[in-house]
Amino acid sequence: MNIKKCICKTVPGIAAAVIMLTAVSGCGDAKQVEAAKSYRKTGLQLLDAGDYEKAIHSFNEALGQRAGIVSNLEEDINFYKAYAQMESGKTKDAVSTYTALIEYNKKNADAYYLRGCAYISQGKKKEALQDFEEAEKNKKDSGAMCAGIYEQLMAAGLEKEAAPYLKQGLSVKGEKGPECLTRGKLYLLSGDYEKAETELGEALEQKEPSAELYLGRLFQAKGDSGQSANYYEAYLQDNPNDSAVLYELGQLAFVQGEYDKAVTWFDQGMGCENIMNKRALWSGKIAALEYAGDFPAALQEMENYLENYPQDDEAQKEYIFLKTR
């Protein structure tokens, strides 16, 4: 299995937009709330399995439990529903879901941002730019939002439109951790690694929680796998359930030929709760086992993998190969 193809597909910014559910506000019968949570849990499991159609159905069932009531629970479910719609190619439906969130809360910066990303994927530049403008205007931490918008516009080849967001984000005043982190992220995205390292280093000095994560990405971009891994591992000490970083560590170990270590990282990532990249982690684990020469273990993992993801044609081909080893 080619590990380079084991990439977790995500809607840009989904981690920032989805509300981590800690409490449920609003009215509603307790049984209805529990039923909604149950359908939500099923929807997340289906998302993980890549069955987006059934996931959307489950999220709709969750939303139907308390029709007419909107709380952080319903908002959370709608964000996941839109994610599933994007992944299934139903971009127009995702736009409608984000629009409903915006109609309920005209200052929902995350919904504007993600709808802008959806419009970008449709080639609707004008609508995307309008949404990105609203997202930046309504986001409390506008510097961080500028970084996200800049990244999306650059990825879409809209360098001219991206430039003002880079300038605006870099103009953020202050020498505290959050301001240094924002500037460091933007310098990293723009390819100015020297200034990025200075700003992110200052953010780390001030114990900014995500500084180590972005320093890991910085050194990964510079091709320094050792330093990158060191920062990622330091970040994980306080964020042990970040499956995206565990996947990056697995990739770094794989590239360095440390296949047993890669298996450990991928396995650890698969053990995290509420992850969105289990499929990528599992594929990476199988690839690492195969490159390590442990074909029986790779075959067993592949059989388990295909029980969960039977539509993966590449994995089916790899399974045939593994059976001959």
Side-chain angles (χ1 to χ4, degrees):
M1 181 175 291
N2 186 346
I3 194 170
K4 292 182 180 179
K5 294 183 180 180
C6 301
I7 299 172
C8 175
K9 299 187 296 179
T10 59
V11 174
I14 190 69
V18 173
I19 298 171
M20 299 308 293
L21 198 60
T22 56
V24 177
S25 60
C27 304
D29 183 85
K31 289 184 178 179
Q32 292 174 324
V33 171
E34 290 308 310
K37 287 183 178 180
S38 178
Y39 278 116
R40 173 187 178 274
K41 182 178 179 180
T42 299
L44 290 175
Q45 292 171 340
L46 290 165
L47 270 183
D48 174 56
D51 195 337
Y52 303 118
E53 293 295 336
K54 288 184 180 179
I56 293 168
H57 176 74
S58 187
F59 292 136
N60 281 332
E61 288 291 329
L63 293 168
Q65 298 304 306
R66 306 200 305 165
I69 296 175
V70 180
S71 71
N72 59 337
L73 174 59
E74 282 70 36
E75 192 171 10
D76 173 86
I77 293 168
N78 270 300
F79 273 118
Y80 277 119
K81 175 184 172 182
Y83 173 84
Q85 289 168 328
M86 287 292 292
E87 291 295 277
S88 64
K90 295 184 175 181
T91 311
K92 289 184 179 179
D93 290 345
V95 166
S96 296
T97 302
Y98 291 132
T99 299
L101 286 164
I102 291 167
E103 288 176 349
Y104 174 71
N105 177 6
K106 299 292 185 183
K107 295 186 177 182
N108 193 326
D110 293 320
Y112 278 117
Y113 171 73
L114 289 169
R115 191 174 70 173
C117 294
Y119 280 137
I120 281 284
S121 71
Q122 291 180 312
K124 295 184 176 181
K125 172 182 169 182
K126 179 180 178 181
E127 291 86 346
L129 291 174
Q130 288 175 341
D131 272 359
F132 287 152
E133 184 178 344
E134 288 294 324
E136 188 279 324
K137 183 172 67 176
N138 289 291
K139 189 67 172 179
K140 184 177 181 180
D141 185 356
S142 62
M145 181 60 79
C146 283
I149 295 170
Y150 174 76
E151 184 174 17
Q152 295 308 311
L153 291 175
M154 288 296 290
L158 300 173
E159 296 182 12
K160 180 180 178 181
E161 291 78 3
Y165 288 100
L166 175 63
K167 182 178 180 180
Q168 187 172 342
L170 290 175
S171 69
V172 170
K173 304 296 182 183
E175 299 303 323
K176 293 183 179 180
E179 291 83 15
C180 292
L181 181 68
T182 291
R183 292 191 295 268
K185 287 164 61 177
L186 281 162
Y187 281 128
L188 172 59
L189 288 169
S190 65
D192 192 335
Y193 297 152
E194 183 176 347
K195 289 182 179 178
E197 187 172 353
T198 298
E199 292 285 1
L200 293 173
E202 182 59 34
L204 181 62
E205 284 287 324
Q206 299 191 45
K207 303 186 184 304
E208 184 63 23
S210 298
E212 289 161 329
L213 170 62
Y214 287 98
L215 280 164
R217 292 178 179 174
L218 168 64
F219 282 98
Q220 188 173 5
K222 292 171 68 173
D224 189 336
S225 299
Q227 273 286 70
S228 178
N230 288 338
Y231 280 116
Y232 281 146
E233 290 181 41
Y235 170 78
L236 283 171
Q237 290 180 8
D238 294 320
N239 303 273
N241 282 310
D242 193 326
S243 62
V245 172
L246 287 162
Y247 178 71
E248 292 299 329
L249 281 166
Q251 282 190 310
L252 288 170
F254 186 96
V255 170
Q256 292 174 325
E258 298 177 344
Y259 304 120
D260 291 339
K261 191 173 183 180
V263 170
T264 299
W265 289 125
F266 291 134
D267 226 9
Q268 189 174 331
M270 289 171 63
C272 296
E273 297 180 0
N274 296 326
I275 63 174
M276 303 291 283
N277 63 334
K278 185 176 181 180
R279 186 172 181 175
L281 288 158
W282 207 343
S283 296
K285 179 181 178 181
I286 294 169
L289 286 168
E290 184 179 336
Y291 275 77
D294 192 345
F295 295 108
L299 178 61
Q300 181 63 58
E301 287 291 337
M302 181 63 84
E303 289 174 347
N304 295 336
Y305 173 91
L306 287 172
E307 286 182 10
N308 289 270
Y309 308 106
Q311 304 304 318
D312 190 330
D313 293 336
E314 183 183 350
Q316 291 285 1
K317 294 177 183 177
E318 193 69 19
Y319 178 53
I320 294 172
F321 166 75
L322 286 170
K323 287 196 295 184
T324 66
R325 302 298 295 179

